[in-house]
Amino acid sequence: MLSKLLSLRSVLLALGVAATSWCAFGADAPATPSSEERIAALEAYVNNTDPGKALTGVAGPGHNAWMMTSAALVLFMTLPGLALFYGGLVRSKNVLSVLAQCLGIAGLVTILWWAFGYSFVFGKSFSEGGSILGQFLGGTEFLFMKGVGSAPNTDYAYWISHNVFSMYQMMFAIITPALIVGAIAERMKYSAILVFVAIWMVVVYFPLAHMVWGVTGSMNGVWNGDASIRAIDFAGGTVVHMSSGWSALVLCLILGPRIGFLKEKMAPHSMVLCMVGTGILWVGWYGFNAGSALAADGIAANAFTTTTIAAAVAAFVWPMLEWITRGHPSILGFCSGAVGGLVVITPAAGFTDVSGAVIIGLLAGSVPYFACTKLKGWLKYDDALDTFGVHAVGGTMGALVTGFLATTDANANLTGSYATKNGLAALVTDGGLWLEQLKAMGITIAMSVIATIVIAYAIKATIGLRAAPDVERQGLDLSEHGEEGYIY
Amino acid sequence: MKLITAIIKPFKLEEVKDALSGIGIEGMTVTEVKGFGRQKGHTEIYRGSEYTVDFLPKVKLEVAVADAIVAKAIDTIVAAAKTGKIGDGKIFVSPLEEVIRIRTDERGDTAI
């Protein structure tokens, strides 16, 4: 009993000392915030606005929790969502090559992101002194993620940690080049893929992501008051889907078709894996779209809703069209429709409302369907897993229709102070946004196509793009990775 | 002695096996095979790509029987494996020179 009392006393003493030292520290610090300031800061947390000095440098737990969850969800889209979606669609002798490509890209892009990618996209030092370079690339202040800590970077979000923001955006940088893998599956050399992705990230993704999402970016209509192109892209219609989709088309044309294309059977080896991957992609996409609000707020809630509706409508429309035109609603049809819906809603998710999402779902279930089933047959390019048909066609359509379906009812930032300054607000309320969207789309396609042509021919002339014919025939798994996907 | 080789629809295997057990046949060998006859194959479409699948999955059943029950065994298989639709399969009967039980070195009918 005595010992218990003694220990209680020592705890109380320790607390007393701690309290005293805290007070002493407080006396040196700036004046303690008033009650009003502290309440205002808490209200700012709920409203996802600037907390003022009372809570400067502190991440909000709810927003931060959602963004860490979202970051993990977006990574889950690649590993294993996209890996399984694509992996199921190739022949069994190449299943591991697809997994290796997704895994390799995840590692490679992470290293680039840490070293300079994040800084090039979300820094702003290149704009100092009004330099024009800053419109196209971020800056050098975050090289090697220097100074990217747990305190928020208020250029982008008041309440989420800077490092969480960086990791979240990195997951987008990982999935984008991984999407290209679908077009060049079953024949491109592993070393050539890694070299291609490394260069492509630097010349296409990093500049494009900065232009669209960086606060000093030239096409960031919502957050850059000086944007020259007042375009909007909520979660990556241009940055992610158009860039990867158009690059995929060009790369698969330069690479050439698989040996035996249109002669041999190249049916998917496992529609089960494909469906599992699709489900993971759909779930992960909530992090991708709703997470792009960069807060657990009303815009995120709206994006969550529009994403669900567009995906579900498209996932229904595609196989119904198959049923009517071909007699069977196929599993691949359901899966393709779901991914198509998710792609097309991506740029609009946080800007449009539920009826916009239904329209997008109808378009997403039908237009990419014709691109994959008819266009590809007419033009005879070997986009093995339809990266172009789904991501480029869907992404391009999504970017355009976002120009018509964006509404301030869904997102008040469309008429915020930056948008008012650069004129976006007027375009949203009076119409004409679609023209700005067209400009952004044109720049995205031009950058993707030109850069891919140059990189692909450079690699072709040096280390070569394709696996040797023997390797391709035997399958990339055994010859390039020394493993088999299935050992019975 | 005869070797009866029956190619049947995979989902009929259990019925055929039970029917053969019912008439006292105590052993058989089963293999999963692919092939086609008059049924031919079918077409699979994945997005825009169409593939003709010629070889359909079947089950091959091999049974060695004494001459006395060959006819009964064949009737039993036909009765159990028949659906009446195209693709029910075929039965091949061939003479069997010798049967040896490895464990005991028995020969002929007693080894079956």
Side-chain angles (χ1 to χ4, degrees), chain B residues 55-67:
Chain B
F55 296 102
L56 299 175
K58 297 283 170 189
V59 163
K60 183 168 80 171
L61 194 75
E62 287 164 305
V63 198
V65 292
D67 291 325

Side-chain angles (χ1 to χ4, degrees), chain B residues 42-64:
Chain B
H42 60 245
T43 308
E44 293 176 12
I45 304 174
Y46 297 95
R47 289 198 182 124
S49 311
E50 211 170 307
Y51 304 107
T52 308
V53 179
D54 294 322
F55 296 102
L56 299 175
K58 297 283 170 189
V59 163
K60 183 168 80 171
L61 194 75
E62 287 164 305
V63 198

Side-chain angles (χ1 to χ4, degrees), chain B residues 27-49:
Chain B
M28 64 190 70
T29 306
V30 171
T31 322
E32 289 179 9
V33 294
K34 284 181 173 183
F36 66 88
R38 287 191 196 164
Q39 186 187 4
K40 296 292 182 205
H42 60 245
T43 308
E44 293 176 12
I45 304 174
Y46 297 95
R47 289 198 182 124
S49 311

Side-chain angles (χ1 to χ4, degrees), chain A residues 210-266:
Chain A
H210 175 74
M211 287 156 76
V212 176
W213 290 331
V215 283
T216 53
S218 59
M219 305 199 287
N220 189 348
V222 181
W223 299 112
N224 179 7
D226 300 318
S228 47
I229 295 174
R230 285 79 48 93
I232 58 174
D233 185 349
F234 193 72
T238 49
V239 181
V240 176
H241 297 291
M242 283 185 68
S243 69
S244 61
W246 285 94
S247 297
L249 174 69
V250 173
L251 189 57
C252 91
L253 287 172
I254 296 172
L255 192 61
R258 289 166 287 178
I259 294 173
F261 178 59
L262 296 177
K263 295 189 195 80
E264 294 169 19
K265 184 181 177 187
M266 294 180 176

Side-chain angles (χ1 to χ4, degrees), chain A residues 143-437:
Chain A
L143 289 181
F144 302 101
M145 287 182 68
K146 187 162 61 76
V148 179
S150 297
N153 173 3
T154 52
D155 281 341
Y156 291 97
Y158 292 116
W159 291 102
I160 64 174
S161 292
H162 196 179
N163 44 18
V164 171
F165 174 74
S166 172
M167 289 299 98
Y168 176 69
Q169 297 293 348
M170 182 176 82
M171 304 316 178
F172 285 62
I174 288 172
I175 198 168
T176 306
L179 291 170
I180 300 176
V181 162
I184 49 89
E186 304 198 289
R187 59 202 191 277
M188 192 161 166
K189 198 156 66 170
Y190 194 65
S191 55
I193 291 176
L194 292 184
V195 173
F196 178 86
V197 168
I199 303 172
W200 188 87
M201 290 305 289
V202 178
V203 300
V204 179
Y205 188 84
F206 295 155
L208 192 60
H210 175 74
M211 287 156 76
V212 176
W213 290 331
V215 283
T216 53
S218 59
M219 305 199 287
N220 189 348
V222 181
W223 299 112
N224 179 7
D226 300 318
S228 47
I229 295 174
R230 285 79 48 93
I232 58 174
D233 185 349
F234 193 72
T238 49
V239 181
V240 176
H241 297 291
M242 283 185 68
S243 69
S244 61
W246 285 94
S247 297
L249 174 69
V250 173
L251 189 57
C252 91
L253 287 172
I254 296 172
L255 192 61
R258 289 166 287 178
I259 294 173
F261 178 59
L262 296 177
K263 295 189 195 80
E264 294 169 19
K265 184 181 177 187
M266 294 180 176
H269 88 279
S270 173
M271 280 312 303
V272 175
L273 283 187
C274 180
M275 192 276 155
V276 173
T278 304
I280 293 173
L281 276 169
W282 190 334
V283 171
W285 227 294
Y286 289 114
F288 198 90
N289 282 1
S292 284
L294 299 179
D297 63 1
I299 294 172
N302 180 65
F304 193 101
T305 308
T306 55
T307 299
T308 309
I309 289 175
V313 170
F316 187 71
V317 168
W318 186 308
M320 292 306 116
L321 284 173
E322 282 185 332
W323 206 352
I324 294 164
T325 56
R326 294 224 192 94
H328 299 284
S330 75
I331 298 305
L332 186 51
F334 282 103
C335 294
S336 308
V339 174
L342 292 160
V343 166
V344 182
I345 193 68
T346 292
F351 294 130
T352 191
D353 55 15
V354 173
S355 28
V358 174
I359 295 168
I360 281 176
L362 292 171
L363 288 170
S366 46
V367 177
Y369 168 74
F370 286 104
C372 293
T373 57
K374 302 286 178 210
L375 188 68
K376 195 166 97 161
W378 290 332
L379 302 179
K380 298 205 187 315
Y381 53 90
D382 186 12
D383 177 5
L385 315 179
D386 291 309
T387 303
F388 178 77
V390 175
H391 295 275
V393 172
T396 307
M397 184 169 69
L400 182 62
V401 296
T402 301
F404 296 105
L405 298 175
T407 160
T408 48
D409 295 341
N411 192 326
N413 295 325
L414 288 168
T415 48
S417 57
Y418 301 108
T420 306
K421 187 182 172 207
N422 64 27
L424 169 67
L427 293 170
V428 172
T429 45
D430 306 337
L433 175 60
W434 64 277
L435 269 172
E436 299 292 298
Q437 295 295 93

Side-chain angles (χ1 to χ4, degrees), chain A residues 13-89:
Chain A
L13 267 174
L15 279 175
V17 171
T20 318
S21 60
W22 181 78
C23 289
F25 175 76
D28 294 335
T32 315
S34 67
S35 295
E36 283 75 18
E37 285 170 328
R38 290 164 62 194
I39 292 168
L42 288 174
E43 281 179 349
Y45 171 54
V46 175
N47 294 320
N48 188 29
T49 51
D50 188 349
K53 62 181 177 181
L55 280 173
T56 298
V58 182
H63 296 304
N64 231 19
W66 167 237
M67 291 315 296
M68 284 187 273
T69 308
S70 290
L73 282 170
V74 181
L75 181 66
F76 197 46
M77 287 172 72
T78 310
L79 305 176
L82 190 69
L84 294 184
F85 177 71
Y86 280 169
L89 290 177

